[in-house]
Amino acid sequence: MRGRVRAWAAAAVGVVVLASGCAQQQVERPVVVVRAPVAVAKAATPEPPTPAPADLAALPTIDPVTVVPGLPGADGLEQRRSDDAAFGTWQTATVVRDTAGYDAVGGRAVGTVPAMTLDVPTVLPVVDQRGGWLRVLVASRGALPSQDVTQVNGRTAWIRAEDTVTSGTSWRLHLDLAARTLTVEDGTTTQTVPVIAVGAPGSPTPTAPQFVVGTFWDQPGTATPRVVLLSSQSETLDAYDTRTGTSATAIHTTPYARTGAISNGCVRVGDDVLDLLWHKVPAGTMLTVA
C-alpha cells in the first residue's frame, strides 16, 4: 500500500511539473518599447564667404590673348542644364560688368572676367553653381604648351552671379576627328556634315572642354575668310598667330582644297557648313571633340 502511495505521489508531482511547464510556455511577456525623443540640432548651411573687393586693374584679363596662371580645370564637370527652359537646354551666364574670377568660392582672385571679349559680349557656359557663385568655363590659357600642357585648355573660374544675367543655349556641336564630320544640334534639328580639315598629328585639334566664344570674323581674301572662334588653343604650339600671340582654334572656311588632318588645330569647313553657324550658334555653346 505504501508503494502505491509513493507511485501516486510521484505521478502527481510529474503532472504538476508538466502543467507548470506548459503554463510557463503560455505566459506572454509584454513587449517593452522605449521611445526616447531624439533631438538633432539643425544648423543652416552657411553662405559662402564674401571675398574682399579685388583690384580688377591689377589682375590679368581672362580672354583668349592672355595667359592667366592659377585658373582651375573643369574637374570633369559638364555644362549645367538650365533651371528655366525658357533660356534653352543648357545654362550660360552673360557677364554684364567686369568682375573678378576666383580659383575657388571666396578664394583667390586670379584674373578679371571682362564684360566684352574681343568686342563681343562675354557669354560663358556654367558648370557649377553654389549660392551666389557660378563656376564658368573661360577662354584663357592657364599656361603655354611649352610650360605645362595640362594647364592650356578647359580652364574655369568662379564669379559672382550678381555680375551676370542668366542666359542659355539649346545648341550642341560635336566634332568626330576620325570621320571628319561635324554634328550640329540647334535644339530642334540635328545635322551631321563633312569638314574639310582638322588638326595635323603635330598640332591636333584639342579635345578638352571648349565652347563658342561668339566672335565672328569676316576676313575675305585671307586664309580664314569666315571664322567662328572657339575657346581652346593648340596644345603643341605656343603661338602660330604672330599678330595676337595666340594659337587659337576656330571653325572657319578656307580657300584651300587640301583635306585631311593638316591644320594647326582649327576645323576647316565649306561655306555651306559655316552657313549653319554663321550668326546663329549662340555664344557659350559647347563643342565636344572625339
Side-chain angles (χ1 to χ4, degrees), residues 56 60-66 93-99 112-124 139-140 163-164 211 213-215 229 283:
L56 300 184
T61 301
I62 299 176
D63 65 10
V65 299
T66 309
T94 300
V95 181
V96 294
R97 64 183 68 88
D98 292 358
T99 185
T112 297
V113 179
M116 300 292 289
T117 298
L118 302 179
D119 299 325
V120 297
T122 300
V123 183
L124 305 171
S140 274
D163 294 324
T164 72
F211 61 94
V213 174
T215 299
L229 185 66

Side-chain angles (χ1 to χ4, degrees), residues 107-156:
R108 180 175 64 93
V110 296
T112 297
V113 179
M116 300 292 289
T117 298
L118 302 179
D119 299 325
V120 297
T122 300
V123 183
L124 305 171
V126 178
V127 298
D128 199 1
Q129 186 167 350
R130 194 176 305 169
W133 292 82
L134 301 174
R135 189 175 186 178
V136 292
L137 283 169
V138 295
S140 274
R141 292 182 288 182
L144 297 174
S146 61
Q147 297 169 332
D148 185 353
V149 68
T150 66
Q151 300 291 313
V152 173
N153 290 314
R155 301 296 93 192
T156 67

Side-chain angles (χ1 to χ4, degrees), residues 7 32 43 49 74 93-94 99-100 114 116 133 185 196 201 205 208 230 243 266 287:
V32 178
T94 300
T99 185
M116 300 292 289
W133 292 82
E185 300 179 22
I196 295 173
T205 300
L230 300 172
R243 182 177 61 86
C266 288
L287 167 71

Side-chain angles (χ1 to χ4, degrees), residues 131-244:
W133 292 82
L134 301 174
R135 189 175 186 178
V136 292
L137 283 169
V138 295
S140 274
R141 292 182 288 182
L144 297 174
S146 61
Q147 297 169 332
D148 185 353
V149 68
T150 66
Q151 300 291 313
V152 173
N153 290 314
R155 301 296 93 192
T156 67
W158 286 94
I159 60 176
R160 298 305 302 268
E162 64 188 19
D163 294 324
T164 72
V165 294
T166 301
S167 50
T169 174
S170 291
W171 286 61
R172 279 271 163 149
L173 307 177
H174 176 71
L175 176 66
D176 187 322
L177 294 171
R180 290 209 305 277
T181 58
L182 179 69
T183 299
V184 179
E185 300 179 22
D186 65 7
T188 56
T189 61
T190 300
Q191 299 183 65
T192 298
V193 292
V195 304
I196 295 173
V198 294
S203 54
T205 300
T207 59
Q210 55 193 286
F211 61 94
V212 173
V213 174
T215 299
F216 299 89
W217 292 335
D218 197 353
Q219 305 174 109
T222 71
T224 56
R226 290 193 293 164
V227 178
V228 176
L229 185 66
L230 300 172
S231 63
S232 64
Q233 300 199 35
S234 172
E235 295 178 352
T236 59
L237 305 172
D238 283 357
Y240 66 76
D241 187 321
T242 56
R243 182 177 61 86
T244 62

